[in-house]
Amino acid sequence: MYIQTQLQTSKFENDELSELLSQMTFQIHSFGLWEEEHDTQIRYTTDDIEIVYYKKGGSTTIIGNKEYRCPQGSFLVLEPYQVNISKNEGEEAYAYYYFHFDMEPLHLKPQFLSLLTKHGPLVYPNEIRGFSEMFERLVNEAKEKDIGYSSIITSALIRIIVFIMRAQLKRGKEDAIITVHSPHIALVNDAIAYIQKHFHEPIRLYEMAQELGVSTSVLYKAFKNIMNLSPGEYIQQQKIHYVQQRLLLNESLTYLAQDLGYSSAYHLSKAFKQQVGISPRTYKQHYKNLTKQ
């Protein structure tokens, strides 16, 4: 006897978030469990996206000039090229699970990060529940590395992403997910790949357009349409993010200017202040002061 289940259930329909995520692929760089029995303070940056789940102890984390008290059971999203200062103090032990990952296509990355963090990078335990057992199973999967384990861990990451985005959307009830359909998407992705390849060089719009087989005006308009930034604005944004990270590893502004194709440290400093709002020297001093607190 066969049961016609299609007659007993409602039609399975796609939704805006699922449609958006179906256009993305995720590359996990690392996943694991960090544990410590002593108070610690760590300052670090990362060039990928990190999602942290606090298993035990929580932390106080400073991102930019904002402080977040992250309780046990909460999620914290850390964007690339930010400086993060994590303070663990006052508890008997600390533990958190972490994903380091990136996503493609690159033109969707700004929208993806916005949906993850639009109303703040911290999601509280009362907003998302029931992940502790799942993380324990994932750690076993990562240790045993049975066939298909990476697919299981990636699917778990997507589930976490969905729940974080749901929590953000509930905070902002007026928010909407916009899916962009444009004939320029492939061109913009190729342009971003070109920028990454030539990141440590001066990047000229006409040379990039010539390489991609289009006019400069077509490339400019396509970039503006998809990214809401001109190619030049996007290149400078990405280079200054990189400089923010490298300055805190004590690399000199002169070296970074040469490394990234700026004509001088002066011009890099001017671009840095225009984007960040403070000079590179003030930026470094600001974070030195934060770590002394």
Side-chain angles (χ1 to χ4, degrees):
M1 177 180 173
Y2 295 93
I3 300 173
Q4 292 183 304
T5 54
Q6 71 272 20
L7 301 177
Q8 299 181 16
T9 58
S10 58
K11 185 179 177 182
F12 187 83
E13 297 180 352
N14 216 355
D15 59 86
E16 296 92 340
L17 180 55
S18 297
E19 183 182 350
L20 181 66
L21 292 175
S22 71
Q23 300 177 45
M24 302 177 185
T25 57
F26 298 93
Q27 304 85 37
I28 296 177
H29 301 148
S30 62
F31 164 76
L33 172 64
W34 177 88
E35 296 179 288
E36 180 59 66
E37 294 183 355
H38 305 288
D39 290 356
T40 59
Q41 178 172 302
I42 304 169
R43 180 182 70 174
Y44 68 100
T45 62
T46 178
D47 58 3
D48 59 9
I49 306 163
E50 183 179 10
I51 293 179
V52 174
Y53 175 76
Y54 291 95
K55 178 185 179 183
K56 187 185 298 182
S59 80
T60 299
T61 298
I62 300 170
I63 304 172
N65 60 358
K66 293 185 179 179
E67 182 176 284
Y68 300 92
R69 297 190 180 275
C70 311
Q72 181 174 310
S74 63
F75 282 91
L76 183 67
V77 180
L78 300 171
E79 297 185 43
Y81 304 115
Q82 293 181 146
V83 181
N84 312 302
I85 301 171
S86 180
K87 301 178 182 179
N88 303 314
E89 52 190 8
E91 302 288 342
E92 293 182 358
Y94 308 92
Y96 64 76
Y97 298 99
Y98 59 86
F99 285 95
H100 280 274
F101 68 98
D102 226 321
M103 55 76 62
E104 292 181 340
L106 295 170
H107 80 274
L108 290 176
K109 194 169 185 177
Q111 185 180 12
F112 175 76
L113 289 171
S114 175
L115 286 169
L116 277 179
T117 64
K118 188 166 188 179
H119 299 284
L122 180 62
V123 179
Y124 293 95
N126 65 309
E127 296 179 285
I128 303 181
R129 292 186 179 135
F131 278 90
S132 295
E133 291 184 5
M134 186 196 80
F135 275 111
E136 290 175 11
R137 292 195 298 270
L138 291 179
V139 168
N140 289 331
E141 288 284 348
K143 286 179 180 177
E144 295 172 4
K145 290 183 168 57
D146 283 343
I147 188 168
Y149 83 96
S150 62
S151 294
I152 289 174
I153 294 175
T154 302
S155 64
L157 171 63
I158 294 170
R159 183 185 176 205
I160 291 163
I161 287 167
V162 168
F163 274 86
I164 290 174
M165 289 182 174
R166 280 182 179 176
Q168 295 285 3
L169 290 166
K170 286 177 182 176
R171 290 175 179 179
K173 294 181 180 179
E174 302 299 317
D175 294 348
I177 296 172
I178 300 172
T179 303
V180 177
H181 299 284
S182 168
H184 302 307
I185 287 174
L187 174 60
V188 171
N189 280 327
D190 289 343
I192 293 172
Y194 178 95
I195 291 166
Q196 290 184 325
K197 181 179 178 182
H198 299 275
F199 192 72
H200 296 275
E201 307 167 21
I203 300 174
R204 296 175 176 86
L205 182 62
Y206 73 89
E207 291 178 349
M208 180 163 56
Q210 188 175 39
E211 177 75 17
L212 298 175
V214 296
S215 68
T216 55
S217 62
V218 167
L219 179 57
Y220 183 93
K221 289 175 183 176
F223 224 93
K224 266 286 198 181
N225 177 253
I226 302 298
M227 304 296 292
N228 293 320
L229 294 169
S230 70
E233 290 168 338
Y234 177 81
I235 292 165
Q236 179 154 302
Q237 179 193 77
Q238 297 305 304
K239 289 195 174 190
I240 298 303
H241 283 330
Y242 178 82
V243 171
Q244 286 180 271
Q245 182 188 38
R246 305 309 294 183
L247 281 174
L248 298 175
L249 297 176
N250 292 319
E251 291 187 3
S252 74
L253 198 66
T254 300
Y255 169 78
L256 288 168
Q258 294 172 346
D259 181 46
L260 295 173
Y262 285 85
S263 59
S264 67
Y266 168 79
H267 285 99
L268 175 54
S269 179
K270 188 176 179 180
F272 187 98
K273 188 171 184 179
Q274 183 180 22
Q275 181 165 313
V276 181
I278 54 177
S279 69
R281 178 177 292 184
T282 304
Y283 174 81
K284 286 182 72 173
Q285 189 60 49
H286 173 67
Y287 284 101
K288 282 182 182 177
N289 293 339
L290 281 176
T291 57
K292 290 176 184 177
Q293 292 177 3

